[in-house]
Amino acid sequence: MLTYILRRLVLLIPVILIVGLVVFTLVHVTPGDPAAVILGDQATPEDVEALRDQLGLNDPLPVQFVTWFTDMLRGDFGDSIFLGIPVTEALLDRVAPTGLLTIYALIIQLVIGVPLGVIAALRAGSVVDRALTALAISGAAIPNFFLGIMLILLFAVTLQWLPSVGYVSPTEDFSGHIQRMIMPAFALGFSTAGLLARLIRSSMLDVLNEDYVRTAFAKGLARRDVVIRHALRNALVPAITVVGTSLAALLGGAVVTETVFTIPGMGRLVVQSISRRDYPIIQGAVMAIAVTYVLVNLLVDILYVYADPRVRLGGK
Amino acid sequence: MTPRRGTMTRRNVMQGSAALGAGFAAAGMLGGLPRAMAAQEDPADGTPGGTLRVGTIGEPVTLDEHTTTTFTAELMYPVYETLFTYDAEYNAVPELVDTHTVSEDGLTHTMTIRQGITFHNGEPLTAADVHASVTRWAAISGVGKNLFDAVDEFVEVDESTVEFRLNRPYGTILIALAHNTQACTIHPKSIMDAAGETPFTDDSMVVGTGPYRFLERQADAYIRLERFDDFVSREEPTNGYAGAKHAWVDMIEYIPVPDVAARVAGLQAGDYHYAMQIPNDQYEVLSGSPGIVANIRVPSNFEVFFLNWRSPLMGNLALRQAFQAALDHEPILTAARGGGDFTRLDPGWMMQQTAFYTTSGDEFYNVNDPDLAKAKLEEAGYDGTPLRFMTTQEYPSFYAASVIAQQQLEAVGFVIDLQVIDWATLLERRGQEGEWDVFCTSHGFVPDPSQITMVGQLGTYPGWYDSEATLELSRELLAETDFETRYALWEEIQHNIYTEIPSIKVGDASEGSYYSEQVGGWPATVERGVPYWNLWLNE
């Protein structure tokens, strides 16, 4: 297993190289440049050209790439053009809000998705099943920015229970933190919860028809034990994949959710950096997200072993 | 109000705009306006304390005013000061300058700097700081470069005096120094030397002399300003952006909320006291919201289609005339800005509240004559080559205006290639002559015609409006000091804009001001940004 993990980690190197080359090329062939954005609408092309020179954007692209890539391998992602701080610092500032938001959303996804899926499977075909299915589908169908705005209108504007926007770090004010994160986490987690519930339902249905489940019932085990210890544990194997890949969806959804709820996270930083052409940030953030994604997939593979002892990693 | 014709003096224009305001109030037809009028209390009578929170349209690109024409100006207005500033009638009046004298021949402007002023970093303000700031600004900004073409020498005479020695009279020198877009803000020499011509790289460089000092920021979360205790205010009563600055609130906090729906909701929820740039279609909702004051501002900008004089298509006058004749401005304006009380058809590039307002050339405004357009297309020998029309959805009004214009142009026989691209791409691409034929943007209210981009920038603004006749008139306009003469020059230039057609003005548009009822001292003068320093919070 250890060699397997090591081998997967070594495979990260070509991933980094390829992602780096692709993102650098894409960012630089996209029209638009930061100098024009800084100067704004009323500037002349001559002013823009002068600022491009000042910012070093007129150097040949291969030169810029080699400089960036070798610096990056040493851990230096360069400085943000707009924020005036190193990219690593900018990204680290944003990891906490996005990470916490994603974790809360994941918790909400599991808390809603798993029980709903199990209940729907146990009552398959009933009114309860259909209602839960409808809820699950609407969760998947409603865009999370729309849900976010609706939540703001209900809980912040009409009922005035929660603040509409903003972010407070949990170490600074924990209850304020939770108050501000609950709506975005729900908006984000609800959509993937629906998908998870659908998946758990169908894999539970498969498992419930297996012989060993019938055997468990036949030997007189309590229904609760059968469902949770025998059926659900086996139904979770495919669900782990979905949770793992939905982490990517959650990170993607965080981009929109962070904009609606004014959370200073990675997603918002990336979107803003793209619209401003803050090249170093875009490149650094895409690299960070790619590496995270690879690591999450590795983690999912390792989790399989614990969920299903029959799985052996490393192909032996 | 009907457009007026002919020459007019500054005085009767000001009476006109006063009448405009009175007309609004008397009619009482504009939802929240009476409340807004009631809110115009004496700015010297505020209540100290509290944090004024403002929902902004997003994170500013830089806090370095010299390097940007974006909304940084409004955010940093309480922090930075300039040598001159605008009063309520948009005259340039002294701010950091104490006395200003001009030599007989108009070529030497001597300015003494107010004494006892301290920067936020504790350094005293001296002529050396002014010299360094003005010099850097002149090297970066278009307005500064134009001014310095006319400057032989800019010297620091002594510790508190600077002198502009000109090679020709320059009528707009004070306006150039007062203008608040890419403003000539005054900073410590040490910071100017460290910054060079690149934007500030460090927040510790955000230092001015204003009533609030930059405290801290977390990108995408907040920018905080706090009252600067050593601020020295001018003693004259507040007048527009000029005169006394009171700094009532302890702190100003800008919260970037790029999503419009979230910005509206946050205002309704009371999370901030004022929200910038709310689309006009939210007026109905917000004017009925408890605790919110909604009023419609005096029109302060307009959408413009710029035509590329260096493209094979738009370089052809007959084709530009066809473009002009094809457009029916009313539906374009309504789609872009909501119509009704928020818009008005008006040919004046200088808006009605300025002394330079004229309807010169209005026979070519809002022509809406499809037959004429078709005839002009024929005359131009138009062969159906698609017109590359650049617009963006990042500014919904630009997109809406462009789509309606596209339909009208296609109806007379133009083939339109509407290129919907992001704003950063548009800004870059419009600088390349061969890449486009038309682009849409907006132009803000300006107090002096020299500040109209395609006029003041003398043929260098994208579109490259460089007809010899107009360039000559524009140079005279920049140099001339007598108002009547300048007005006559401007009338002629505007007429040329309508006959030579470098661009098409759609029509005037207003925005709403939406703020909490808690806010006291809401000013009448907001066209160039809200002067936050005189607002206070009532309990």
Side-chain angles (χ1 to χ4, degrees):
Chain A
M1 174 117 149
L2 202 63
T3 45
Y4 173 79
I5 294 173
L6 279 176
R7 206 171 73 220
R8 287 280 297 261
L9 289 178
V10 170
L11 281 175
L12 261 180
I13 295 168
V15 171
I16 289 174
L17 186 67
I18 292 166
V19 172
L21 191 62
V22 169
V23 70
F24 184 90
T25 313
L26 277 182
V27 159
H28 284 85
V29 299
T30 308
D33 87 76
V37 175
I38 293 174
L39 281 161
D41 184 40
Q42 295 171 43
T44 64
E46 285 76 16
D47 298 341
V48 174
E49 199 47 40
L51 187 57
R52 278 186 68 86
D53 265 336
Q54 291 283 340
L55 294 172
L57 295 170
N58 281 337
D59 296 344
L61 273 190
V63 174
Q64 291 189 47
F65 177 75
V66 170
T67 315
W68 171 72
F69 199 80
T70 48
D71 284 354
M72 186 188 68
L73 290 180
R74 287 197 310 259
D76 175 7
F77 286 77
D79 288 350
S80 158
I81 296 172
F82 290 86
L83 304 174
I85 54 173
V87 170
T88 32
E89 190 184 325
L91 293 179
L92 286 175
D93 283 351
R94 308 304 182 101
V95 166
T98 302
L100 290 171
L101 176 61
T102 311
I103 290 168
Y104 298 151
L106 201 60
I107 293 171
I108 284 174
Q109 175 192 354
L110 293 173
V111 166
I112 297 177
V114 175
L116 281 191
V118 173
I119 294 169
L122 293 177
R123 306 243 192 292
S126 71
V127 178
V128 178
D129 179 27
R130 292 208 187 121
L132 292 177
T133 304
L135 191 68
I137 290 174
S138 64
I142 297 174
N144 56 29
F145 69 88
F146 178 77
L147 186 60
I149 296 286
M150 291 298 118
L151 290 173
I152 292 178
L153 285 179
L154 179 61
F155 291 105
V157 176
T158 309
L159 299 173
Q160 307 224 334
W161 290 352
L162 297 167
S164 68
V165 292
Y167 176 77
V168 182
S169 112
T171 49
E172 197 180 308
D173 169 10
F174 188 73
S175 85
H177 172 75
I178 294 297
Q179 282 180 18
R180 284 175 177 78
M181 294 300 263
I182 191 156
M183 287 196 291
F186 185 81
L188 192 52
F190 186 63
S191 55
T192 44
L195 286 177
L196 183 66
R198 295 289 299 152
L199 191 97
I200 297 252
R201 177 185 178 276
S202 61
S203 62
M204 273 296 276
L205 280 177
D206 289 345
V207 173
L208 286 172
N209 289 324
E210 293 277 344
D211 291 343
Y212 66 87
V213 172
R214 204 172 307 125
T215 312
F217 276 122
K219 73 181 181 190
L221 280 184
R223 184 178 166 81
R224 221 182 94 213
D225 285 347
V226 177
V227 169
I228 293 177
R229 285 181 41 208
H230 293 263
L232 182 59
R233 175 153 181 190
N234 287 296
L236 277 183
V237 177
I240 290 175
T241 318
V242 170
V243 172
T245 50
S246 75
L247 200 65
L250 289 177
L251 281 171
V255 170
V256 178
T257 314
E258 284 170 2
T259 304
V260 171
F261 288 96
T262 319
I263 296 168
M266 289 257 266
R268 189 150 168 225
L269 179 69
V270 172
V271 168
Q272 183 159 279
S273 302
I274 291 171
S275 74
R276 288 168 169 185
R277 306 292 189 270
D278 196 338
Y279 301 144
I281 294 264
I282 305 173
Q283 290 159 186
V286 172
M287 296 305 296
I289 289 169
V291 171
T292 311
Y293 195 43
V294 172
L295 292 179
V296 165
N297 270 319
L298 176 60
L299 191 68
V300 166
D301 289 347
I302 294 169
L303 278 180
Y304 276 147
V305 178
Y306 292 95
D308 183 350
R310 288 169 302 178
V311 174
R312 289 282 174 274
L313 295 179
K316 278 186 193 158
Chain B
M1 144 166 261
T2 49
R4 292 150 297 186
R5 274 180 180 283
T7 311
M8 46 180 45
T9 63
R10 174 171 290 252
R11 158 167 272 176
N12 66 30
V13 171
M14 286 310 155
Q15 285 166 346
S17 48
L20 180 75
F24 273 3
M29 60 197 173
L30 304 178
L33 202 73
R35 281 196 283 172
M37 289 289 178
Q40 277 169 26
E41 302 112 316
D42 181 352
D45 257 353
T47 319
T51 297
L52 177 77
R53 291 193 306 277
V54 178
T56 70
I57 55 171
E59 192 65 17
V61 289
T62 173
L63 298 181
D64 181 357
E65 178 62 20
H66 287 176
T67 59
T68 186
T69 65
T70 62
F71 75 106
T72 298
E74 177 160 349
L75 302 187
M76 290 293 109
Y77 230 163
V79 176
Y80 301 143
E81 293 189 296
T82 41
L83 294 175
F84 290 80
T85 189
Y86 292 129
D87 67 11
E89 296 181 351
Y90 289 95
N91 300 301
V93 296
E95 179 154 72
L96 288 173
V97 159
D98 188 16
T99 62
H100 167 228
T101 50
V102 191
S103 64
E104 284 278 302
D105 58 6
L107 292 179
T108 306
H109 288 255
T110 309
M111 298 170 191
T112 61
I113 312 301
R114 284 164 60 211
Q115 294 297 292
I117 308 272
T118 337
F119 284 109
H120 301 146
N121 64 359
E123 294 177 26
L125 168 70
T126 66
D129 304 307
V130 172
H131 189 269
S133 302
V134 173
T135 306
R136 177 177 186 254
W137 165 79
I140 302 173
S141 92
V143 176
K145 284 176 194 157
N146 277 345
L147 167 61
F148 270 62
D149 268 352
V151 173
D152 256 350
E153 269 186 299
F154 173 54
V155 288
E156 182 191 335
V157 178
D158 59 40
E159 261 220 342
S160 60
T161 313
V162 289
E163 206 163 84
F164 290 87
R165 294 170 191 160
L166 307 181
N167 53 37
R168 56 176 193 268
Y170 198 80
T172 53
I173 176 168
L174 303 188
I175 286 279
L177 295 173
H179 197 49
N180 77 333
T181 295
Q182 202 168 18
C184 182
T185 47
I186 304 301
H187 309 269
K189 179 175 189 304
S190 54
I191 292 175
M192 296 293 89
D193 292 346
E197 288 179 28
T198 42
F200 292 168
T201 49
D202 192 317
D203 286 346
S204 67
M205 297 168 118
V206 183
V207 173
T209 55
Y212 287 87
R213 69 177 195 92
F214 173 82
L215 180 64
E216 58 181 345
R217 74 160 155 171
Q218 187 188 339
D220 288 332
Y222 55 76
I223 293 173
R224 289 183 183 139
L225 313 179
E226 70 169 0
R227 188 193 292 119
F228 176 48
D229 291 329
D230 294 330
F231 172 70
V232 185
S233 172
R234 292 193 71 94
E235 282 167 12
E236 303 92 330
T238 304
N239 179 359
Y241 299 99
K245 298 182 177 181
H246 297 287
W248 293 117
V249 296
D250 299 334
M251 202 187 284
I252 299 173
E253 182 171 89
Y254 298 119
I255 307 161
V257 191
D259 186 85
V260 170
R263 204 150 73 234
V264 170
L267 183 66
Q268 289 176 306
D271 289 329
Y272 24 85
H273 300 103
Y274 165 63
M276 288 171 78
Q277 293 192 20
I278 301 292
N280 295 343
D281 57 11
Q282 297 291 323
Y283 179 78
E284 286 303 318
V285 174
L286 284 172
S287 60
S289 290
I292 293 177
V293 181
N295 62 54
I296 300 176
R297 298 181 182 180
V298 175
S300 59
N301 54 42
F302 44 86
E303 262 70 48
V304 182
F305 302 124
F306 278 96
L307 311 182
N308 183 356
W309 274 39
R310 293 189 182 165
S311 83
L313 289 174
M314 287 291 110
N316 181 334
L317 176 63
L319 214 54
R320 295 200 300 273
Q321 288 168 329
F323 192 101
Q324 184 184 53
L327 297 180
D328 175 2
H329 292 211
E330 187 145 17
I332 300 176
L333 196 52
T334 303
R337 297 302 191 100
D341 295 332
F342 284 100
T343 55
R344 94 187 147 201
L345 290 169
D346 191 314
W349 274 75
M350 292 303 296
M351 300 182 84
Q352 289 182 14
Q353 61 267 48
T354 73
F356 285 94
Y357 177 71
T358 171
T359 58
S360 167
D362 69 345
E363 61 273 34
F364 300 106
Y365 174 73
N366 191 16
V367 180
N368 187 17
D369 183 345
D371 292 336
L372 177 63
K374 285 174 190 158
K376 287 290 179 187
L377 275 181
E378 182 116 19
E379 181 189 325
Y382 179 61
D383 61 359
T385 309
L387 214 58
R388 293 158 301 171
F389 194 138
M390 300 194 297
T391 189
T392 180
Q393 285 188 326
E394 277 176 59
Y395 296 93
S397 61
F398 300 178
Y399 180 68
S402 306
V403 168
I404 306 294
Q406 176 193 17
Q407 291 164 2
Q408 296 176 357
L409 291 163
E410 285 176 345
V412 300
F414 275 102
V415 177
I416 303 294
D417 170 17
L418 194 71
Q419 302 181 347
V420 185
I421 52 185
D422 74 329
W423 183 238
T425 304
L426 194 152
L427 283 180
E428 188 201 24
R429 204 179 279 174
R430 73 178 195 185
Q432 299 162 3
E433 297 171 19
E435 291 293 310
W436 59 279
D437 298 301
V438 185
F439 77 89
C440 181
T441 186
S442 71
H443 201 292
F445 160 85
V446 288
D448 191 274
S450 65
Q451 295 159 330
I452 289 174
T453 47
M454 67 180 174
V455 175
Q457 296 182 1
L458 299 172
T460 58
Y461 187 78
W464 302 278
Y465 175 38
D466 56 1
S467 94
E468 261 319 308
T470 305
L471 282 184
E472 196 43 49
L473 291 167
S474 303
R475 286 193 198 99
E476 278 182 60
L477 180 80
L478 288 171
E480 183 56 53
T481 52
D482 174 62
F483 174 75
E484 299 294 336
T485 316
R486 297 188 77 229
Y487 185 85
L489 285 165
W490 166 242
E491 276 191 307
E492 217 176 316
I493 293 172
Q494 182 171 305
H495 198 272
N496 286 358
I497 291 175
Y498 278 100
T499 53
E500 299 176 333
I501 323 175
S503 56
I504 309 276
K505 173 189 169 175
V506 177
D508 293 345
S510 304
E511 280 181 32
S513 290
Y514 306 97
Y515 52 93
S516 157
E517 270 181 348
Q518 238 191 312
V519 175
W522 191 262
T525 309
V526 291
E527 287 99 322
R528 298 216 50 89
V530 179
Y532 298 112
W533 55 81
N534 283 336
L535 302 183
W536 64 87
L537 297 172
N538 295 307
E539 199 27 70

